[in-house]
Amino acid sequence: MTEFLAAHFASINWHWDVAQLLALALLLLWLWAIWPVKDLQAVMHNKGSQRRVWLTAFMINGLWLLNASITQGIQLHFLGLVTLMLMFGWRLATCISLLPVLFFSVFVVKQPFDFALYGLFMAALPLFLCFVVYSQIFKFLPHHLFIYIFGSAFINGFASIAFYMLPWSLWLWLKGDYDWSYIVDNYLLLIPLMGFPEALLNGMAVTLLVVYRPEWLYDYSDNTYFGNRS
């Protein structure tokens, strides 16, 4: 075991550059702006919430381990972020998601100084945009259980893949790692292939939570979706 860990850490790329430091500064600034003080205090005083946080982080970490790397910098895996957002709210979900991001950076891509880049592109940005979609669905569409599951979970799950892969593709192109035609042909064309299973995964997870553990969902209420039914 010791030899395995030594060999693994020896293969990690510990070099860093200015872009990684800038990304770290942006991530810290973003966390400072959205820091969920009340949500974190609630978790600290509730052992059940603490267990759910660790369990969810562990499950997302396992989901990200199913990673199909096409070439260096181009990763393919499911996210599970929409379920995380609907369980904890997007601010706390951003903080929780940094745990699997750290594991992913160190043990999967073996570039720990890319932590902030993945934190921004793989977690913070998709979660914020998914929250925008969710809030607009809640604001403009009827408060119906089908809309909650299909719109906020299923469609938003599909969108989360696009919200990650599109900005990450732009970043890879701006860095000059790949030309745009290569990115389109080998990465962006896979958005539908990844998006539908991601949508199904989040839709099924949220459906099960609504049925069996509605209290685990951040702002779901039977009164909201059933209260006005006769």
Side-chain angles (χ1 to χ4, degrees), residues 3 21 58 141 180:
E3 293 179 358
L21 293 180
F58 178 81
L141 296 182
W180 187 248

Side-chain angles (χ1 to χ4, degrees), residues 201-217:
L201 175 70
N202 287 279
M204 291 176 62
V206 171
T207 300
L208 290 173
L209 288 171
V210 167
V211 173
Y212 295 105
R213 289 291 186 271
E215 68 275 10
W216 287 12
L217 293 167

Side-chain angles (χ1 to χ4, degrees), residues 90-151:
W90 74 275
R91 296 173 185 268
L92 183 57
T94 301
C95 299
I96 296 172
S97 65
L98 295 181
L99 296 174
V101 166
L102 179 61
F103 188 93
F104 185 85
S105 302
V106 175
F107 294 98
V108 178
V109 299
K110 299 181 180 180
Q111 299 190 46
F113 288 102
D114 277 350
F115 162 75
L117 288 169
Y118 285 114
L120 288 170
F121 287 101
M122 192 184 293
L125 182 60
L127 277 167
F128 175 71
L129 294 177
C130 285
F131 167 73
V132 172
V133 172
Y134 167 72
S135 63
Q136 296 307 300
I137 289 174
F138 187 85
K139 181 178 180 180
F140 292 107
L141 296 182
H143 296 167
H144 191 281
L145 182 61
F146 175 79
I147 293 176
Y148 178 79
I149 294 174
F150 186 75

Side-chain angles (χ1 to χ4, degrees), residues 117 120-122 124-126 129 159-175 180 183 187-188 191:
L117 288 169
L120 288 170
F121 287 101
M122 192 184 293
L125 182 60
L129 294 177
S160 67
I161 289 291
F163 291 153
Y164 161 52
M165 293 177 65
L166 285 170
W168 184 250
S169 298
L170 182 61
W171 166 253
L172 292 175
W173 177 67
L174 290 174
K175 281 180 61 182
W180 187 248
I183 294 174
Y187 193 47
L188 291 182
I191 288 179

Side-chain angles (χ1 to χ4, degrees), residues 18-31:
V18 176
Q20 292 168 330
L21 293 180
L22 179 60
L24 180 60
L26 289 174
L27 180 61
L28 292 175
L29 180 62
W30 180 249
L31 292 175

